[in-house]
């Protein structure tokens, strides 16, 4: 799937102020994934670079998952410490934003480092996780990381070392990346965002972009009357949003990751039951009183159409 994701265009854009980022997020079609890069300094083209990868928004039931990379000339990595790059989860929102905009405005940063993000829509996450052949969030995450490295290479960033905050077992992930990028030194580690400043920088970029994308969200449906909070399942405002914004037929607005158990449980309580006939005489094949969420579950839990059962046809999972 890395090939699929790599087809998303990567826009080069300048983000110098909060309003610049808000304007960019306001222009995002939030039903699709989007990738954008900062300007790439000459030092990152001419000198070997270190590149870090991290994400923001893995756990929330609302809004996008954002994968970020940051890269820096290995001759000037002190700039990362001068900026105060640290694990984004340990920083206040104000401090994260200060560092992010310093990355985009201070001369020593502009001369020596760059960054990029992929904003992965809730639609894409839900559709991936609810395929008949399930495509996990870990796989979505790895594809995004691989796609961002490939795009950086295609833009001639001179990558020598890559540090990644792991999803899943770090040894397996590192072996996968090393096979794909044999000429680059790869390190995959738990809590890499608190160990390697270049990963901390990527974490900060991803977090600031996600927070802004969530705050700037444009509802194609009727906008909610109340705030939806942080998007995390434990947030009372988020819980109330899920309960108050379910259409009994069409379900949730597309800000919701409807593959999350939190969303499915709320949907079960509210959504209408479905009743229709597929034309078979066998009453077991009539979808009477089925909940809308039952159609999201794995193939093995469904009654398959007689046409497929009688011919012993199965989904293709490998080529």
């Amino acid at each position: 799937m890395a090939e699929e994701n790599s087809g998303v265009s990567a826009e080069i854009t300048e983000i110098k102020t909060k309003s610049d980022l808000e304007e960019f997020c306001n222009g995002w079609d939030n039903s699709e994934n989007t990738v954008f890069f900062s300007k790439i300094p000459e030092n990152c083209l001419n000198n070997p670079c270190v590149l870090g990868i991290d994400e923001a928004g893995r756990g929330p039931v609302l809004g996008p998952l954002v994968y970020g990379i940051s890269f820096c000339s290995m001759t000037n990595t002190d700039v990362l410490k001068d900026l105060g790059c640290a694990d984004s989860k340990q920083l206040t929102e104000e401090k994260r934003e200060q560092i992010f905009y310093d990355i985009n405005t201070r001369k020593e940063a502009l001369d020596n480092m760059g960054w990029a993000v992929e904003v992965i829509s809730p639609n894409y996450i839900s559709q991936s996780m609810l395929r008949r052949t399930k495509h996990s969030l870990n796989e979505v995450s790895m594809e995004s990381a691989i796609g961002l490295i490939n795009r950086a290479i295609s833009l001639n960033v001179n990558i020598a070392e890559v540090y990644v905050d792991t999803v899943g077992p770090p040894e397996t992930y590192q072996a996968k990346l090393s096979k794909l990028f044999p000429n680059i030194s790869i390190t995959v580690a738990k809590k890499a965002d608190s160990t390697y400043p270049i990963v901390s920088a990527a974490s900060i970029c991803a977090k600031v972009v996600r927070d802004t994308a969530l705050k700037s969200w444009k509802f194609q449906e009727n906008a909610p009357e109340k705030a939806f909070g942080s998007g995390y399942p434990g947030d009372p405002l988020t819980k109330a949003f899920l309960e108050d914004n379910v259409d009994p037929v069409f379900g949730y607005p597309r800000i919701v990751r409807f593959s999350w158990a939190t969303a499915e449980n709320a949907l079960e309580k509210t959504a209408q039951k479905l009743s229709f006939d597929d034309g078979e005489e066998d009453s077991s094949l009539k979808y009477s009183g089925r909940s809308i969420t039952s159609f999201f579950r794995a193939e093995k839990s469904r009654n398959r159409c007689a046409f497929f059962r009688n011919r012993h046809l199965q989904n293709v999972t490998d080529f």
Side-chain angles (χ1 to χ4, degrees), residues 186-299:
I186 306 286
T187 300
V188 178
K190 295 179 180 178
K191 301 188 183 299
D193 51 350
S194 58
T195 306
Y196 304 103
I198 193 66
V199 181
S200 301
S203 175
I204 289 166
C205 292
K207 179 64 174 168
V208 171
V209 171
R210 174 182 149 81
D211 287 350
T212 305
L214 193 61
K215 291 173 185 175
S216 305
W217 189 272
K218 284 189 173 180
F219 284 87
Q220 302 301 315
E221 314 81 5
N222 291 331
E225 295 180 1
K226 298 178 182 178
F228 48 73
S230 65
Y232 281 87
D235 186 330
L237 289 175
T238 300
K239 286 182 179 179
F241 173 85
L242 291 173
E243 292 170 0
D244 296 343
N245 288 277
V246 183
D247 185 283
V249 176
F250 298 107
Y252 288 116
R254 67 188 186 194
I255 193 174
V256 178
R257 302 179 190 179
F258 51 87
S259 53
W260 256 233
T262 308
E264 184 175 340
N265 292 340
L267 192 57
E268 284 280 5
K269 297 176 185 176
T270 315
Q272 293 287 343
K273 302 294 183 183
L274 305 177
S275 182
F276 57 88
D277 194 333
D278 72 348
E280 296 283 347
E281 293 183 4
D282 184 350
S283 62
S284 68
L285 296 176
K286 293 182 180 180
Y287 299 97
S288 179
R290 292 279 295 277
S291 69
I292 190 171
T293 54
S294 69
F295 291 90
F296 297 159
R297 296 181 186 127
E299 177 71 19

Side-chain angles (χ1 to χ4, degrees), residues 7-12 34-37 151 155:
V8 180
S9 62
E11 182 174 343
I12 303 289
T34 188
V35 175
F36 62 97
F37 271 71
R151 289 184 181 92
L155 292 169

